[in-house]
Amino acid sequence: MNLLSRSVTERPLPIWRRPLIIVGLVLGIWAPFKVAWEKHIDEEIMQVRYHGAELNRDLRDQLSQNAMIGLLGGFRGVIADLIWLAVTDAWTEQDWYAAEKNIELATTLQPRFVPFWELGGWHLAWNASVDARNDPLLPDQEERKRREQFWIQRGKKIFERGLEANPETFSMYRQLADLYDQKLDDPAGAADYYLLASEMPDSPLFLERFPAYKWEQAGMDERAYDHWKMLWNRHLDSPDERPIAKDKIEEHIRKLEKKLNVPTEKRVFPKPSSSPSLKP
């Protein structure tokens, strides 16, 4: 080692530079965490400012300048209500593409307002589909059916998105159940959604019987029988004044026990009913 290199190596670091190096090391370690932290704060500010509305380019392109000013000013609910008026106008004029566009906008701005999803899906799956089925400008019956199914599927997507945004609300499950039952002619699919709806805390009590009705309609007698038995055991000790329709439950159990040839010793009701209306 030459004298120059030795002198450089052995020369002690000036005291005034040591704190700068320590500060530099601390900043180097802290900087990535600081950037991530600030980004998180910015996202929370944007969430509060726009009230959860996804402010993307498609949304900006579809909203007018005044609507955008209202949205940025925190009037999301007011803007969504005004847009819904356009849905009503499109419905009266049977302009279903305009209705769908405005349904998309209103539900984007107010995803937790369940009536927008319910009415939006109903407009498309029921009103638009019936209009397509009876459209005099479409003389081809096959084309009418194709258009009818198109709008049913568009309404189904609205209900499905509404369910994703409000998974704790029985109403969205029931909307899909009704659609499978009344529009898709799929009682088994309807039964599955009625079952999910009946398990929600705000579900009406009568809805608990709907899955069994639809499983019977779909020819799934064993599954229906299990459900009826579960309901009977659930309400076995319930007061008679509760609106649980015990007579209906017993009637279906007896009918299915006979149809499925359930052995006497395994039946819920091994003896004939004393009531004429419930005799198997």
Side-chain angles (χ1 to χ4, degrees):
M1 181 182 294
N2 57 41
L3 294 175
L4 180 60
S5 62
R6 186 168 61 249
S7 62
V8 171
T9 305
E10 296 175 354
R11 182 181 301 167
L13 193 65
I15 295 176
W16 65 270
R17 292 182 60 184
R18 293 178 187 175
L20 295 179
I21 294 177
I22 295 174
V23 172
L25 290 173
V26 172
L27 290 177
I29 297 172
W30 168 247
F33 296 99
K34 180 175 181 293
V35 171
W37 178 58
E38 290 178 344
K39 182 180 180 182
H40 177 69
I41 291 177
D42 289 341
E43 290 176 351
E44 288 189 345
I45 292 174
M46 293 290 285
Q47 181 76 7
V48 172
R49 179 179 300 171
Y50 302 127
H51 301 273
E54 185 181 353
L55 192 62
N56 54 33
R57 183 170 182 177
D58 290 339
L59 183 60
R60 291 196 303 266
D61 290 344
Q62 295 182 64
L63 289 174
S64 67
Q65 183 177 0
N66 290 336
M68 278 300 301
I69 293 173
L71 175 60
L72 298 180
F75 295 98
R76 183 187 65 164
V78 175
I79 300 302
D81 289 342
L82 291 174
I83 291 172
W84 194 259
L85 293 177
V87 174
T88 303
D89 290 340
W91 167 44
T92 57
E93 297 172 4
Q94 297 185 339
D95 186 348
W96 303 118
Y97 288 101
E100 183 182 24
K101 182 189 75 172
N102 287 300
I103 290 168
E104 293 281 353
L105 281 174
T107 53
T108 297
L109 293 176
Q110 289 280 56
R112 298 287 292 169
F113 188 60
V114 175
F116 280 171
W117 297 107
E118 293 179 324
L119 291 172
W122 174 70
H123 277 314
L124 301 183
W126 269 263
N127 292 331
S129 68
V130 171
D131 185 50
R133 185 178 61 202
N134 300 315
D135 189 349
L137 299 179
L138 296 174
D140 187 346
Q141 188 66 22
E142 290 301 317
E143 179 62 17
R144 290 186 185 183
K145 290 181 179 179
R146 190 188 69 81
R147 294 282 185 92
E148 178 184 15
Q149 288 300 315
F150 170 81
W151 287 114
I152 290 173
Q153 291 300 322
R154 300 304 291 179
K156 178 172 175 282
K157 288 183 178 180
I158 294 294
F159 288 144
E160 290 172 340
R161 287 179 49 219
L163 179 58
E164 290 177 4
N166 303 274
E168 76 290 347
T169 305
F170 96 92
S171 175
M172 296 312 307
Y173 293 98
R174 184 176 182 180
Q175 293 294 338
L176 277 163
D178 289 344
L179 185 139
Y180 272 86
D181 182 30
Q182 301 173 24
K183 288 296 183 179
L184 298 178
D185 193 24
D186 183 356
D192 292 339
Y193 276 108
Y194 280 130
L195 179 63
L196 292 171
S198 69
E199 293 172 346
M200 293 294 104
D202 58 339
S203 173
L205 189 60
F206 69 83
L207 205 62
E208 66 181 7
R209 302 193 301 273
F210 279 41
Y213 289 137
K214 294 304 163 184
W215 279 321
E216 284 190 52
Q217 185 179 341
M220 303 168 67
D221 293 331
E222 291 185 0
R223 191 166 184 183
Y225 179 55
D226 289 340
H227 191 78
W228 286 121
K229 287 196 300 180
M230 181 274 294
L231 294 180
W232 180 260
N233 292 328
R234 175 187 292 177
H235 300 301
L236 188 60
D237 299 323
S238 299
D240 292 336
E241 61 268 16
R242 292 189 64 192
I244 55 177
K246 282 185 179 180
D247 57 334
K248 292 293 183 183
I249 298 175
E250 180 180 348
E251 180 182 353
H252 282 270
I253 290 176
R254 288 182 177 278
K255 180 182 69 174
L256 289 172
E257 284 179 338
K258 182 178 180 180
K259 185 176 182 180
L260 295 171
N261 293 318
V262 178
T264 302
E265 65 275 10
K266 294 184 178 180
R267 294 189 178 192
V268 178
F269 302 105
K271 297 180 179 180
S273 172
S274 60
S275 173
S277 63
L278 297 180
K279 286 183 179 180

